Amino acid sequence: MSNRPVIVAGGGIGGLATALTLHQIGVPCVVFESARDMRPLGVGINLQPNAVRELGDLGITEADLDRVGLPAKEWALVGLNGNDIYAEPRGRLAGYRWPQYAVHRGQFHLLLYRKLVERMGPESVRLGSRVTGYRKNPEGGIRALVERADGSTTSADGLLLIGADGIHSAVRAQMHPAQPPIHWGGAVMWRGTTWAKPIRSGSSFVGLGTHRQRIVFYPISHPDPRTGLSMINWIAEVTMDNNEGWKQKGWFRPVETREFAHHFEDWIWDWLDVPALIRQADCAFENPMIDRDPVPTWCDGPVALLGDAAHAMYPTGSNGGSQAIVDARVLGAALVEHGVTQAALAAYDARLCGPVSQLILRNRGAGPFGLLNLVDERCGGTFDNIDDVIPPAERSEFMAAYKAAAGFAIESLNKAPPTIPSGARARAVA
Ligand SMILES: Cc1cc2nc3c(=O)[nH]c(=O)nc-3n(C[C@H](O)[C@H](O)[C@H](O)COP(=O)(O)OP(=O)(O)OC[C@H]3O[C@@H](n4cnc5c(N)ncnc54)[C@H](O)[C@@H]3O)c2cc1C
């Protein structure tokens, strides 16, 4: 194996899953991360069974995941009248061989970081190092241009560069200089966490409301045995006029709950008090629901995009983090098959870019929340019995189509062989 490493730009969930995979298959790598330190940023995120399977193959166990989250048991959509529109079991209860996990994004991210440092040492992640661009070496390989936190610049040579630098990716901007700006469809999300009693199954994802205004909430910790309270992740969401584009500063800013709680002041039922949930939050952040238009390729010779840099999508399908992990594993499988070569990146691109780009557009059309759009079209959101509005078979078909597109259809996932066979190594390249 050449002593030049694979360079990974970005140490988020996608970049760290990539580095763990490269280490597993014997490929030297180094991660450049712009943040000066790794802190537990963000709130809740779902890891779908396809991603939990890959994490298991990376030696990240369910016991590890239980320390940063809990298995999800149910996914439910509820109308403003408090009646179910749709509910289904999740994870093993639904028949998957692997659970779905609802986790704290920041704690899960730190879990991946700790695993990487344990396996590859602290030098494997260069903090305070922002990749600003790349140059393809005429004799092969790649030079990544890096800006340090103190403003000084340096560069690093590698065999390949993986741009896992998120939705504002510098690698993608160079690869696709004519890409349109970030796309915002008008929905604003306020996210936070509150310690509260979990409802329904004890680990249910609940989307309550309409296609234009809803609250989504689910626990992301096992209940505290002393109090019975779990950390509940919630996302309060309102769609507004986006004619003038996103005017606020920043894409993920801390906010006071009073800035948005008024949208939900009447949302009180005997089983749920939304204003109280919001009021008692430990933290709250505002972010617009944004994505990027798909690009025709994630590859430029020895450079490939991965995770949000490749396919930032609306979180309606709860699969952005999961897809980043799956990307890392599909990339690893391509490196095993083709060696550490541009051909491997081309194979990875050929396998994922097309279908995942379709998923971006599907999520833009509301993903699984599209059922709420149907309810609105057919009855203006008011119903007594949902069966009169959308028959059960139609609801099930709608959800099955989404899962198939997102790669977590039960039967096909259960019978698929491992993405990377146990013990596989990438072959040496001259
Ligand atoms: C701070 C933060 C909080 C988040 N909170 C949530 C949440 O609460 N819920 C949710 O569903 N999703 C959240 N997300 C998004 C979610 O984590 C991603 O959609 C998903 O995990 C895909 O991960 P990724 O690694 O591709 O991208 P990201 O998670 O965005 O990671 C990209 C990483 O690259 C680093 N980076 C950026 N530019 C450069 C550069 N030029 N050079 C080097 N490093 C760079 C960033 O600091 C970051 O660590 C959050 C993302 C971030 C960065």
Side-chain angles (χ1 to χ4, degrees), residues 59 77 82 111 129 168 194 197 240 243 253 320 334 352 403 415-416:
L77 277 186
L111 165 69
S129 303
H168 307 287
T194 304
K197 256 203 168 19
M240 43 187 74
N243 278 342
R253 70 174 182 110
L352 289 182
K403 283 182 229 166
K415 62 177 194 252

Side-chain angles (χ1 to χ4, degrees), residues 264-275:
F264 297 88
E265 64 191 5
D266 303 331
W267 288 41
I268 299 172
W269 293 264
D270 53 4
W271 52 278
L272 180 70
D273 182 338
V274 174

Side-chain angles (χ1 to χ4, degrees), residues 17 63 209 249 289:
K249 277 208 185 102
M289 196 186 282

Side-chain angles (χ1 to χ4, degrees), residues 75-291:
W75 190 94
L77 277 186
V78 181
L80 279 179
N81 57 3
N83 292 346
D84 276 12
I85 291 172
Y86 181 81
E88 64 172 22
R90 282 287 168 125
R92 288 213 173 89
L93 293 176
Y96 288 101
R97 286 168 56 202
W98 303 272
Q100 174 180 331
Y101 265 83
V103 300
H104 185 286
R105 186 245 176 218
Q107 289 168 11
F108 172 65
H109 181 221
L110 285 191
L111 165 69
L112 295 182
Y113 179 59
R114 276 195 297 272
K115 293 278 178 192
L116 188 66
V117 169
E118 263 166 43
R119 294 175 193 182
M120 290 183 59
E123 276 302 293
S124 57
V125 183
R126 310 277 166 83
L127 295 170
S129 303
R130 193 166 69 87
V131 173
T132 53
Y134 59 86
R135 283 198 204 118
K136 291 189 258 179
N137 295 331
E139 69 284 6
I142 192 80
R143 173 162 293 180
L145 311 175
V146 179
E147 185 181 272
R148 299 196 191 94
D150 63 7
S152 63
T153 57
T154 183
S155 63
D157 289 329
L159 280 176
L160 304 173
L161 169 66
I162 308 302
D165 47 345
I167 189 168
H168 307 287
S169 168
V171 178
R172 175 173 168 133
Q174 179 171 342
M175 191 183 289
H176 295 288
Q179 69 172 339
I182 280 180
H183 163 262
W184 176 50
V188 181
M189 297 181 292
W190 296 279
R191 300 172 186 249
T193 55
T194 304
W195 286 90
K197 256 203 168 19
I199 60 166
R200 294 177 72 115
S201 67
S203 183
S204 292
F205 174 111
V206 179
L208 164 69
T210 70
H211 67 308
R212 293 186 67 82
Q213 183 174 359
R214 58 186 175 242
I215 182 143
V216 168
F217 55 96
Y218 51 93
I220 53 172
S221 77
H222 286 282
D224 181 324
R226 287 163 305 140
T227 61
L229 305 184
S230 286
M231 184 185 276
I232 307 290
N233 176 72
W234 48 261
I235 304 156
E237 190 188 313
V238 173
T239 299
M240 43 187 74
D241 179 11
N242 66 339
N243 278 342
E244 294 190 3
W246 182 247
K247 290 284 174 214
Q248 305 282 9
K249 277 208 185 102
W251 301 100
F252 202 88
R253 70 174 182 110
V255 279
E256 297 295 332
T257 56
R258 66 180 135 73
E259 290 184 43
F260 61 90
H262 58 276
H263 291 292
F264 297 88
E265 64 191 5
D266 303 331
W267 288 41
I268 299 172
W269 293 264
D270 53 4
W271 52 278
L272 180 70
D273 182 338
V274 174
L277 189 72
I278 293 175
R279 217 173 30 245
Q280 289 157 15
D282 307 317
C283 60
F285 301 92
E286 176 184 81
N287 71 306
M289 196 186 282
I290 48 177
D291 67 4

Side-chain angles (χ1 to χ4, degrees), residues 296-307:
T297 176
W298 298 346
C299 247
D300 175 17
V303 185
L305 304 173
L306 183 143

